[in-house]
Amino acid sequence: MPEADLPGWTRPDLEGELARGDVRDILIHPDPRLHQRCEPAGSVSGQELRTLTADLLATMYEAGGRGLAAPQIGVMLRAFVMDAHWKEGRPDPQVMLDPEILSRSVEEVAAVEQCLSIPDQPVEVLRSASIAIAWYDLDGHHHERTLSGIEARIFQHEADHLDGRLIVDPVDGAE
């Protein structure tokens, strides 16, 4: 049963263009596209990005996730969506275009993560406790912010997808 169908979770009612997304199929590991590095999102039109991000949000909510990257639906662009607290009734959908991590804290935290492209296979992952990030929104505005906690973890997980890395892949330098 998809997580979103479990008691206590209500899919948020989005407004405007983000509410008009279609649910798309999610690629499942070991699909080779999940290991490809994505192209800049700024290389496509604004309307294409609006349609893509609406579809990403619809798909993420339907699947019960907290984040979803474009390559997970077969679109090889540096774009993802996230909504860290919608399951607690505090929806705040975020659209991240051409996101980057500017810096990482020295402190790292291990936690179990799940991935919509690797169903039913939770993996403990060590990630930076806080990160400074930059991204573009759908109107082309550049933003910078510092994230910590679950938001930092989701951002790092989705950013990994844009570089073709999955939670089941060995960590750089590991055997």
Side-chain angles (χ1 to χ4, degrees):
M1 167 176 5
E3 289 183 46
D5 291 337
L6 296 175
W9 291 346
T10 303
R11 289 183 192 96
D13 290 327
L14 301 180
E15 296 180 7
E17 61 195 5
L18 292 180
R20 293 189 284 272
D22 294 323
V23 174
R24 309 253 303 255
D25 290 336
I26 296 173
L27 300 182
I28 302 299
H29 176 67
D31 190 300
R33 291 171 287 182
L34 293 169
H35 286 286
Q36 294 178 7
R37 183 168 170 79
C38 294
E39 298 297 320
S43 64
V44 300
S45 77
Q47 186 53 52
E48 288 175 275
L49 291 174
R50 291 178 193 294
T51 300
L52 170 63
T53 55
D55 289 356
L56 284 168
L57 285 167
T59 305
M60 177 190 75
Y61 292 131
E62 179 68 22
R66 294 180 192 259
L68 188 67
Q72 290 181 273
I73 62 169
V75 178
M76 306 314 292
L77 292 175
R78 298 187 72 76
F80 67 79
V81 297
M82 59 185 269
D83 193 339
H85 302 291
W86 74 272
K87 293 179 184 183
E88 293 85 30
R90 295 179 287 136
D92 183 24
Q94 304 288 311
V95 172
M96 306 291 184
L97 304 175
D98 293 326
E100 61 181 315
I101 297 174
L102 304 174
S103 66
R104 299 172 184 268
S105 66
V106 173
E107 179 187 2
E108 294 182 318
V109 178
V112 174
E113 295 182 16
Q114 297 189 64
C115 180
L116 296 173
S117 290
I118 311 170
D120 303 319
Q121 191 174 343
V123 176
E124 186 169 293
V125 180
L126 188 64
R127 297 211 185 265
S128 299
S130 65
I131 54 175
I133 63 168
W135 77 98
Y136 290 91
D137 65 23
L138 284 169
D139 295 319
H141 298 118
H142 187 260
H143 300 271
E144 291 187 13
R145 192 168 135 200
T146 299
L147 300 177
S148 61
I150 188 70
E151 292 158 334
R153 181 163 293 277
I154 295 166
F155 190 100
Q156 290 171 86
H157 179 110
E158 301 309 328
D160 278 354
H161 276 296
L162 305 183
D163 291 328
R165 285 190 303 270
L166 303 173
I167 59 174
V168 294
D169 292 339
V171 177
D172 293 338
E175 295 185 22

